[in-house]
Amino acid sequence: MSTQYEHILTSRPNPSVALITLNRPKALNALSTPLFLELNKALADADADQAIGAIVLTGSEKAFAAGADIKEMKDKEFSDVYKNNFLANWGEMSRLRKPVIAAVSGYALGGGCELALMCDIILASPTAKFGQPEINLGVIPGGGGSQRLVHAIGKSRAMELVLTGRMISAQEADQWGMVSRVTDNVLEEAIKMATDISSKGQIAVQAGKEVVNAAYELTLAEGLRFERRTFHGLFATKDQKEGMSAFAEKRKAEFTHS
Ligand code: CO8
């Protein structure tokens, strides 16, 4: 993780956790194409690094990200965005196999809210504000918000956010089930959670992520079958033998991710 970036910061709070911080403070971390190219590279590197078990994505105190960069978008024409498939590579996050935890403080608006929704777990600080204000710009969400919000908070609430552009507080997002929880030390808690996840067998963690995400795509019967087959498959791993033996022998499991 030694690559130098202009729009993000990368670090390792500990050897098993990658921390990526969006870093365009003057623009409230507005998401631009150059920022996404860097973010995609940092995410792919962390995903490929065998020592890393989980990734934390955060912004600043004031903004996780205040949306796609409106100044970059404002003069684009249909022919540009269609021909160049604008935003198509902004969703790389959802192809990662390792879990990503969003630690959200301040504004998570438009593409910022959608980026948080692409993560596997969202932790929010009490200052977090979520919203899809694209309607005020004459457009609609373009990074998955209209779809992922329906799954996360239901149609009526998703429709309200998309059609009014209203911002909701961390507390409301919590009540609506959009975030895992609200916590004062959001980054610290996210790193702690990522460290905890990294201490599990990574094959089981990746399988857990895969089966939960399958619920978005499959019918209940297909999802249950996929979960059971994946569960069966884990009996081929050393981590299953170690985890269950350790329980029986009343000791802590030493997973080898194999
Ligand atoms: N794009 C570009 N610049 C921005 C953005 C943005 N989204 N948000 C803030 N900035 C800039 C401001 O222009 C300002 O720059 P400058 O100092 O040069 O004038 C600086 O950040 C600080 O912003 P403000 O002065 O406005 O700060 P305030 O504290 O007064 O207000 C707000 C904060 C309420 C967050 C306000 O900045 C705001 O409303 N921002 C725009 C929010 C928005 O509409 N977001 C949706 C954008 S459209 C979108 O996201 C489409 C999604 C596409 C898919 C993405 C896939 C992941």
Side-chain angles (χ1 to χ4, degrees):
M1 300 266 286
S2 58
T3 316
Q4 287 300 306
Y5 295 109
E6 195 183 338
H7 307 294
I8 62 171
L9 303 170
T10 57
S11 62
R12 290 266 189 112
N14 64 53
S16 65
V17 174
L19 172 63
I20 303 177
T21 306
L22 303 175
N23 187 36
R24 292 187 72 201
K26 287 188 188 143
L28 301 185
N29 290 334
L31 304 166
S32 60
T33 300
L35 180 148
F36 256 99
L37 291 173
E38 292 188 359
L39 179 59
N40 286 343
K41 163 97 173 68
L43 287 170
D45 285 352
D47 206 41
D49 188 329
Q50 297 295 319
I52 287 175
I55 302 163
V56 175
L57 178 66
T58 195
S60 68
E61 284 290 310
K62 185 157 185 205
F64 178 73
D69 191 322
I70 301 167
K71 294 164 192 169
E72 180 190 337
M73 284 186 295
K74 77 179 180 45
D75 295 322
K76 285 191 189 293
E77 297 291 341
F78 171 77
S79 55
D80 302 325
V81 293
Y82 185 79
K83 194 169 66 180
N84 299 316
N85 209 2
F86 179 52
L87 301 182
N89 63 349
W90 291 30
E92 293 292 309
M93 164 84 80
S94 53
R95 277 186 273 281
L96 302 182
R97 303 198 65 206
K98 289 182 184 160
V100 185
I101 303 168
V104 178
S105 296
Y107 297 110
L109 301 178
C113 185
E114 294 173 301
L115 183 62
L117 289 166
M118 284 178 214
C119 296
D120 299 300
I121 298 169
I122 305 177
L123 297 185
S125 116
T127 64
K129 294 179 198 68
F130 297 88
Q132 298 290 161
E134 290 91 341
I135 200 78
N136 300 322
L137 302 168
V139 290
I140 60 168
S146 67
Q147 306 304 297
R148 290 196 175 95
L149 276 175
V150 174
H151 285 277
I153 61 178
K155 176 190 157 185
S156 182
R157 286 164 170 168
M159 197 68 91
E160 180 187 340
L161 293 190
V162 171
L163 299 188
T164 69
R166 180 171 82 83
M167 263 188 249
I168 58 169
S169 66
Q171 288 68 26
E172 207 169 359
D174 192 22
Q175 279 163 16
W176 284 7
M178 191 174 160
V179 304
S180 255
R181 62 185 138 93
V182 179
T183 166
D184 285 324
N185 305 311
V186 72
L187 182 56
E188 203 177 295
E189 288 294 319
I191 293 169
K192 209 188 289 173
M193 187 185 282
T195 308
D196 181 37
I197 292 171
S198 298
S199 73
K200 318 292 181 193
Q202 281 186 27
I203 297 173
V205 167
Q206 288 180 13
K209 170 168 169 162
E210 195 177 356
V211 296
V212 170
N213 279 333
Y216 274 107
E217 316 285 349
L218 303 178
T219 64
L220 179 60
E222 288 165 340
L224 292 174
R225 194 162 43 243
F226 179 59
E227 181 199 69
R228 198 163 55 245
R229 288 289 170 260
T230 307
F231 177 80
H232 291 161
L234 291 172
F235 283 76
T237 65
K238 290 185 182 144
D239 285 346
Q240 174 267 331
K241 302 285 173 293
E242 168 61 11
M244 294 192 183
S245 303
F247 176 82
E249 292 159 18
K250 299 189 187 302
R251 62 177 173 81
K252 192 173 176 304
E254 295 290 338
F255 294 118
T256 52
H257 316 301
S258 57

